[in-house]
Amino acid sequence: MPFDLHPRLRTPAATLAGAVLLAGTLAACGSGGPSRAQTLEVWTYQDASTHIQAEAVERFNETSDVQLELVEIPGANYQERMRTAMGTPNAPDIFFNWGSGSISDFVQQDMLVDLTDTLAETEELRDAFVPTVLAAAEVDGGVYGVPMRGVQPVILFYNTELFEQVGAEPPTTWEEMTELIEVFQEEDITPVALGGADAWTSLMWLEYLLDRIGGPEVWQRIETGEAEAWGDPAVEAAAQTALDLIDDGAFGSTFLSNAYTNDGVSTYFAQGRAAMHLMGSWEYGSQLANAEEFARERLGYSTFPVFSDGAGDASAIVGNPNNYWSVNSELEGERLDAALEFLKHTTDDDYLSALVTNGDIPGTAGVDDRLDDHPDPEFARFQYDLITEASAFTQSWDQALPNRAATEMMNAVDDLFSGGLTAQEFADTLRGVS
Amino acid sequence: MSAPPPIPASARRAESPHPSSPAPVAGRRRARDTGRPGVLWAVPGLLFFGLFAAAPMVLVAWLSFTSWDGLSAPAWSGTENWSRLWSDPAMHRALRLSLLLTLLSWAFQTPVALLLGVWSAGHQRSRAVLSAVFFLPLLASSVALALVWRSILDPNFGLAADVARWLELGDANVLGSQRGALLAVAFVAAWQFIPFHALLYQGGARQIPRSLYDAASIDGAGTVRQFFAVTLPQLRNTAVTSSVLMVVGSLTYFETVLILTGGGPGSATTIVPYLMYETGFRAFDLGYASAVATSLVVVATGVSLLMVRLTGFGRMRSTREGM
C-alpha cells in the first residue's frame, strides 16, 4: 500500500484530520456569503408595521439593478444586534434606528453616511418632514437618518366610562390630577396604570413632569452633553412629584411587578381596573388588537396636564419623533446610489398611505387629507394636531442619550421608582452621567 | 520434551480464533497498543475547549485592561477598570446579592434534593413513576420556565394573585418587592435544579451496599438512625459534587434573572452575571464588563477549589475504605 499508517496511529490521525476540517469550517463562518456584493441588506425592527417596509423593498427591487434584501430583526434585541453588527462584515447596509442617541456612537466612528446634502438636494425629501421629527436624526450638526415610520408621541389615555362614573373630565392642570387620584382611590379604582417592571414606562412620567415643571430647555441642555443640567432644581422637583404620586397610591401597590411588555398593564387598563395610562401612541393600536370593544368605545386620550407655576406648556410633547433609515458609510458608487434612491421612496404616496392605513402618523407635513384612511380618523387628527402644533418635541430620554449614559440613567430611574433613591439622590446620581 | 519453535506474534494472532487469548507475547504487545490512549485522542476535546472556553477567557482577561465600546479598536487603559471595579458600589451590591443567592440556593436545594434523591433510590414502582415526574422541570429550557413563572407571579392575572386573595395576604407584589424578587429568583432556580441534584443523590444512594443497612438493622437502628448513620456519611462525596455544582451554578446564574425580574426592582436582583450583561450589552462598556466577567471567573474558580480543598474531596478518599 502506498499510504500505510501504523495501525496505532490510524485512528488518531483520522481524528486530527477531522478536527482540522472542523476548524476550517468554523473559520469560514466568519466571512459573508457570496451574494453580498450584489444585494444590499436592509434591517428593520420586526413588529406589526414590518410589512410596510417589506412592500417598499419589493417595489424598489422591481426597477433597480441593485437588489435589496429585508432582514427582520426580532424587536427585543434590536439595539444589541445593531450595535454588535456595526463595524463588522455582517453590518447592515441600510438600517432602522431611533435617531440621536441610538446612532451617535456610529457617527463618531464615521460609520454612517451624512444625509444633510442628500436631503437638501432631493426634491422629494427637501421640505417633506416636520422639522421637530427630522431634528431627532441630527447628530453633531449633520442629518444621519430619514424618517420611515409613524410619529409616536406619549399620550395620556383614560377610560371614558370610569371618568363619567365619577363625573370628571380629563385633567388639564396638576391640581385636577391630584384631586382625580383621590377620587378614583375612594372608588377603589387604581388611578393610573403603570408597568414599573419596565423602567421606560416610569421614565415617561419623569419626561413629562420635567417638561411641564422646568420647560423643554432643561432636557435640551442635558441632551447636548451638559451633565450639570441634571442639577437644575426642576429635575429634583420632577422626581419628587413622581415620588409623591407613588406615596399617594396613584399607581396602586403592585406597579413594580406590573410589566408593559407582556400586555399585563394594557389588559389591566382595558378591564377598567385603572382610570388612566400614560403611554406611547402605539397603545391605541395594541388595544385595538387585544381589546377592540374597549378601544372603540371607552378609550379616551388627552394631553399631559400643566403646572400652574411650571415653565412648560400644554402643547409640548415627549415621545419618539420617529424611526429612521440610516446608511452604512461602507457603501460606495452604484450601491450607495441605490441606497439613497431607496430613502427617497419614504415619501412616496404608496408608502405614506400604507403607514396611515396601518394606524401610523408619518412624520411628513401635509398628510391631513390622508387621515381619513386611518382606522380611527378622530384619533389620527388628535395626534396630527399634537405633532404639528407641538411647541417642543422631547425625544424619549433613553433614546436621546448614548447607550452608556442611557443605561446609567435607566438604572437611576428604576432605583427612584422602587424606593432606592430620594429625589435629591436621583439628581445627584445623574449629575455623574455624561 | 522439546519446546515448539517460537512463532512470530503476528502470525500467531492471525491463527488464533480469540484475539484476546492470553498468550504471553501477544499480551504485552496488546497492552502497548490499546492500553492508554495517545495524546492525539485529546485533540478534538482540547480544540473545542481552547476555541470556545480558553481563548475567549484569555481575550476577556485582556479586554478587562482596555476601554472598548465595541465599535472602535480597544484602547489600553491599564488597571483603570479594575480599580473602578474595586470601588464600584453597584459591583459591591451585585457581589453581595450573588453570594446571598448562592447561600439561599445551597441551603434550600441541598436538603430537598438529598431527601428526594434518597427517597427515590428505593426500587418501588410508585417511586420510579414519581421520580420521572420530578425530573420534568430539568428538561424544559430556563427561558421557558422563567416566562411561565413570570406569568404565575403576575400581580393582577397570575396564580399568585388568586392565592394571595384566598389567603387574604393582600397584594401579590412578589416581583415588585426587594426581598420578594430575590426569593422568587432563588425559588425558581431551586424548582428547576433540585431534580438534577436529586438525581445525583439517587445515584449515590443506590451505590451504598445493602450489607451496611443489614448490619445497621441487626444492631437495632431504625430508618431515621440508618439515614444519619449510614446514608448520610456514604453520600459525602456526592454532597460535595452537588454542592460545588450548585455554588458555581448560582454564581453564574443569568437567564432567569434576565426574564423574571430584569435585575429589578431597582437593583434588587442585579447579581454579578446580570451586571456583566447590562454593562456589556446595554451600556456597551465592554472593557468594564470584561473586568466583571474576569472577576466572576476568578471568584467562582476560587470558591470551588476552596470547597474541594476544605471538604477533603481532592484526596479522592472513598467512603467505603476497608470494606
Side-chain angles (χ1 to χ4, degrees), chain A residues 284 288 296 355-360 371-377 380:
Chain A
Y284 182 87
L288 203 58
R296 295 216 182 275
L355 282 175
V356 174
T357 314
N358 190 51
D360 295 317
L371 295 179
D372 288 334
D373 297 335
H374 192 278
D376 183 343

Side-chain angles (χ1 to χ4, degrees), chain A residues 12 15-16 22 26 80 83 106 109 253-254 256-259 261 264 268 271 273 403-404 407 411 414-415 418, chain B residues 40 44 48 51 69 71-72 84 150 155-157 171 173 175-176 178 266-267 277-278 281-285:
Chain A
T15 319
L16 184 65
L22 186 75
L26 286 171
E80 286 95 328
R83 174 76 184 219
F106 303 152
Q109 302 292 331
S253 57
T254 61
L256 285 171
S257 307
N258 297 350
T261 38
Y268 188 71
Q271 286 179 348
R273 292 157 78 179
N403 295 115
R404 185 165 166 180
T407 308
N411 283 341
D414 208 0
D415 281 337
S418 60
Chain B
L40 280 177
F48 261 89
L51 217 57
D69 60 5
L71 294 174
S72 48
R84 183 176 150 202
R150 188 171 148 173
N156 302 309
F157 307 104
D171 300 314
N173 195 23
L175 296 177
Q178 312 262 334
S267 28
Y277 165 78
E278 196 179 68
F281 295 100
R282 291 268 164 83
F284 290 98
D285 188 355

Side-chain angles (χ1 to χ4, degrees), chain A residues 55-113:
Chain A
E55 285 154 18
V57 163
E58 217 170 281
R59 277 197 302 274
F60 181 84
N61 283 344
E62 281 168 16
T63 57
S64 170
D65 291 336
V66 178
Q67 295 287 294
L68 305 185
E69 185 195 346
L70 189 73
V71 182
E72 296 179 17
I73 309 286
N77 296 351
Y78 190 88
Q79 283 267 21
E80 286 95 328
R81 282 285 293 275
M82 172 175 78
R83 174 76 184 219
T84 43
M86 285 305 281
T88 75
N90 299 318
D93 299 306
I94 303 172
F95 64 97
F96 167 105
N97 60 67
W98 291 267
S100 46
S102 70
I103 54 170
S104 60
D105 286 347
F106 303 152
V107 173
Q108 269 173 13
Q109 302 292 331
D110 288 326
M111 288 174 166
L112 302 182
V113 174

Side-chain angles (χ1 to χ4, degrees), chain B residues 13-317:
Chain B
R13 188 165 57 183
E15 288 169 348
S16 166
H18 303 294
S20 58
S21 64
V25 183
R28 210 179 327 128
R29 173 78 192 263
R30 302 239 88 203
R32 211 163 26 116
D33 252 8
T34 56
R36 225 182 159 76
V39 180
L40 280 177
W41 285 90
V43 166
L46 281 177
L47 207 69
F48 261 89
F49 184 76
L51 217 57
F52 295 111
M57 217 143 36
V58 171
L59 199 66
V60 164
W62 173 70
L63 279 176
S64 73
F65 293 99
T66 67
S67 160
W68 190 36
D69 60 5
L71 294 174
S72 48
W76 187 260
S77 64
T79 53
E80 194 191 309
N81 289 327
W82 288 94
S83 45
R84 183 176 150 202
L85 192 73
W86 200 249
S87 58
D88 183 3
M91 179 64 188
H92 294 169
R93 194 170 37 198
L95 200 59
R96 264 203 313 276
L97 285 171
S98 266
L99 292 176
L100 185 61
L101 182 70
T102 305
L103 200 70
L104 270 176
S105 295
W106 183 82
F108 181 57
Q109 292 183 27
T110 302
V112 179
L114 176 68
L115 290 175
L116 264 180
V118 170
W119 178 82
S120 64
H123 289 280
Q124 295 87 333
R125 181 176 290 262
S126 59
R127 293 190 184 188
V129 171
L130 279 175
S131 308
V133 174
F134 293 155
F135 191 68
L136 283 177
L138 195 60
L139 302 175
S141 95
S142 324
V143 173
L145 288 182
L147 283 171
V148 167
W149 277 102
R150 188 171 148 173
S151 301
I152 291 176
L153 293 174
D154 188 289
N156 302 309
F157 307 104
L159 196 64
D162 297 327
V163 172
R165 208 172 307 124
W166 290 331
L167 299 178
E168 296 184 0
L169 288 174
D171 300 314
N173 195 23
V174 181
L175 296 177
S177 70
Q178 312 262 334
R179 205 171 290 168
L182 190 70
L183 286 176
V185 169
F187 177 80
V188 174
W191 194 80
Q192 184 182 1
F193 291 114
I194 280 176
F196 172 72
H197 295 283
L199 199 69
L200 290 183
Y201 283 114
Q202 186 198 38
R206 282 192 173 161
Q207 298 267 322
I208 303 172
R210 186 74 243 155
S211 55
L212 288 178
Y213 291 104
D214 294 341
S217 69
I218 289 169
D219 288 344
T223 317
V224 177
R225 184 70 199 272
Q226 283 183 12
F227 176 77
F228 284 105
V230 178
T231 314
L232 220 46
Q234 286 289 316
L235 285 176
R236 187 189 148 88
N237 286 339
T238 312
V240 176
T241 308
S242 154
S243 298
V244 170
L245 289 174
M246 238 178 238
V247 166
V248 174
S250 305
L251 283 175
T252 56
Y253 202 46
F254 173 68
E255 317 90 286
T256 307
V257 174
L258 177 72
I259 290 162
L260 197 66
T261 65
S267 28
T269 53
T270 304
I271 54 175
V272 180
Y274 187 82
L275 181 72
M276 169 186 86
Y277 165 78
E278 196 179 68
T279 317
F281 295 100
R282 291 268 164 83
F284 290 98
D285 188 355
L286 290 155
Y288 187 57
S290 299
V292 176
T294 310
S295 66
L296 191 63
V297 171
V298 171
V299 169
T301 312
V303 167
S304 46
L305 285 179
L306 197 70
M307 285 178 70
V308 168
R309 173 64 56 100
L310 287 182
T311 52
F313 186 74
R315 290 195 293 277
M316 303 290 273
R317 185 168 291 158

Side-chain angles (χ1 to χ4, degrees), chain A residues 321-382:
Chain A
N322 215 310
N323 300 118
Y324 305 87
W325 287 130
S326 290
V327 180
N328 193 326
S329 62
E330 297 278 312
L331 294 187
E332 286 174 341
E334 195 191 356
R335 283 154 56 80
L336 178 61
D337 293 341
L340 295 179
E341 181 63 32
F342 176 65
L343 298 192
K344 288 179 197 168
H345 292 286
T346 50
T347 55
D348 279 359
D349 256 3
D350 290 346
Y351 195 78
L352 294 179
S353 298
L355 282 175
V356 174
T357 314
N358 190 51
D360 295 317
I361 307 295
T364 49
V367 284
D368 318 39
D369 47 341
R370 293 176 198 277
L371 295 179
D372 288 334
D373 297 335
H374 192 278
D376 183 343
E378 200 187 329
F379 181 57
R381 197 150 299 277
F382 167 78

Side-chain angles (χ1 to χ4, degrees), chain A residues 243-265:
Chain A
L243 290 182
D244 292 344
L245 283 174
I246 295 170
D247 288 343
D248 294 344
F251 304 125
S253 57
T254 61
F255 73 94
L256 285 171
S257 307
N258 297 350
Y260 180 79
T261 38
N262 61 3
D263 285 331
V265 173

